[in-house]
Amino acid sequence: MKVNVVLVCALFLSLEGVLGDTPANCTYEDLLGRWVFQLSKGGLDKDVNCSAEATDVKEVTVILERMSAARDELGNTGYFTLVYNQGFEVIINNYKWFGFFKYDTKDGVVTSYCDQTLPGRVRPAIVTEEETKMVSTLPQHWDWRDVNGVNYVSPVQNQGRCGSCYSFAIMGMLEARIRILTNNSQTPVLSPQQVVSCSKYSQGCNGGFPYLIGKYTQDFGIVEESCLPYTGMDSECSVPESCSRLYTAEYSYVGGFYGGCSETAMMQELVKNGPISVAFEVYPDFSYYKNGIYQHTEVRRAAFNPFELTNHAVLVVGYGQCQVTGLNYWIVKNSWGEHWGDKGYFRIRRGSDECAIESIAVSAVPIPKL
């Protein structure tokens, strides 16, 4: 069995020099096997540099197995998830271990080292009981914009020319879920610009992953739009200290891990907890969508391989079925403004992983203000 090494800093709250959406390109198969986590002392100092030479290194060995099982040499069991093709997170023995796969760039050529990681991080995990009972029946139609006449979804916004869709998707999910948890007594509009300007887990206007913004919000918190207005440009991180922050209690891939997503899992999560962030592949014809149920191509999986091409993140707010054709669909909020599509929304075929829309759904649990 291969042995992989990852160096992490305990409990530190920043990643110096490490960006999300990295050039690394590693697969699920690369991740399986025995990993040795080398843990050096850190702390709660957000300025600690994990790239510095480590002292007092402690080693922890974990074995990652199909489909998402993790175990250590002491008999503790847990689970893991690939984060797209960029890195991975392991949750075991009440701790979360996270790292980006190592890579280097020389003369414009990227080399991925899928048996190693860049300096990563570990922190205590919030452990909750997973609901194992499957819901036997679900509503035939669900729309968080109209639940018994009440709308829980925040207004459509426009990301402009900045590749910040991942930020808008997560902010929209958190905004809706706060509304649901507080019965609309709290209706925040959160700051996508904070993610663009401040997150070390993403690359600003050059893209990122909603899963890692769930992590960013848990670690650092997010302020409201009025505190850091959206400019649609990369800029220095400048958040007024007087601004209060909203945090996530937890974040996860729908289905439990990257590759475990399904139509049923998405429907259950959507109805139970609120809108969910998803990613899918945008083809040229999608730009011209006006109404109806969009479908471009069907993506079929053979052997298990969680990786599917996606290039845009959006927010699923509901689902339904066309009474005329019988075609099932998702109701989705885009971030291209109210003048695009059907007042900023679109419907897309459900149940066939259309454009990979059922491959990478993300859920997060926000903590309302007291």
Side-chain angles (χ1 to χ4, degrees), residues 86-230:
Q86 311 279 292
F88 63 97
E89 187 166 59
V90 180
I91 297 88
I92 191 170
N93 196 24
N94 293 340
Y95 284 91
K96 285 184 175 182
W97 305 79
F98 169 75
F100 287 110
F101 289 113
K102 186 177 180 179
Y103 69 94
D104 64 30
T105 304
K106 185 176 182 180
D107 298 328
V109 177
V110 176
T111 303
S112 300
Y113 300 96
C114 299
D115 60 343
Q116 303 174 57
T117 74
L118 298 169
R121 67 188 307 274
V122 61
R123 64 172 293 159
I126 301 172
V127 180
T128 60
E129 287 294 324
E130 293 291 337
E131 184 174 310
T132 57
K133 184 178 180 180
M134 296 292 289
V135 178
S136 59
T137 60
L138 286 169
Q140 290 187 341
H141 180 272
W142 191 266
D143 188 344
W144 279 109
R145 299 172 300 173
D146 183 5
V147 179
N148 298 322
V150 179
N151 175 29
Y152 295 95
V153 181
S154 57
V156 171
Q157 298 192 56
N158 193 338
Q159 70 185 74
R161 294 182 178 275
C162 176
S164 55
C165 58
Y166 64 99
S167 181
F168 280 94
I170 283 290
M171 296 305 104
M173 176 174 64
L174 297 176
E175 290 162 358
R177 290 187 172 207
I178 286 290
R179 285 162 165 75
I180 294 166
L181 288 170
T182 67
N183 196 26
N184 274 333
S185 66
Q186 296 179 25
T187 57
V189 175
L190 303 174
S191 173
Q193 188 63 44
Q194 181 185 344
V195 172
V196 171
S197 299
C198 304
S199 173
K200 296 291 186 179
Y201 299 143
S202 53
Q203 284 187 315
C205 284
N206 289 323
F209 297 100
Y211 181 86
L212 293 180
I213 304 311
K215 171 181 282 293
Y216 174 82
T217 307
Q218 183 180 74
D219 291 346
F220 300 99
I222 199 80
V223 301
E224 295 197 28
E225 168 73 11
S226 58
C227 196
L228 191 63
Y230 186 68

Side-chain angles (χ1 to χ4, degrees), residues 336-358:
W336 292 352
E338 294 182 344
H339 298 295
W340 177 87
D342 184 3
K343 297 180 180 179
Y345 286 82
F346 66 96
R347 291 182 294 165
I348 187 170
R349 185 174 179 178
R350 169 170 61 91
S352 61
D353 197 23
E354 180 65 49
C355 300
I357 200 164
E358 290 152 13

Side-chain angles (χ1 to χ4, degrees), residues 2 25-33 35 64-69 80-88 101 114 257-260 303-307:
K2 64 184 179 184
N25 183 16
C26 298
T27 70
Y28 176 78
E29 298 296 334
D30 293 324
L31 183 57
L32 299 180
W35 286 82
L64 307 183
E65 304 168 315
R66 295 179 180 272
M67 299 279 284
S68 65
F80 70 93
T81 181
L82 192 68
V83 180
Y84 204 58
N85 60 351
Q86 311 279 292
F88 63 97
F101 289 113
C114 299
F257 59 97
Y258 181 40
F304 177 74
N305 177 11
F307 181 77

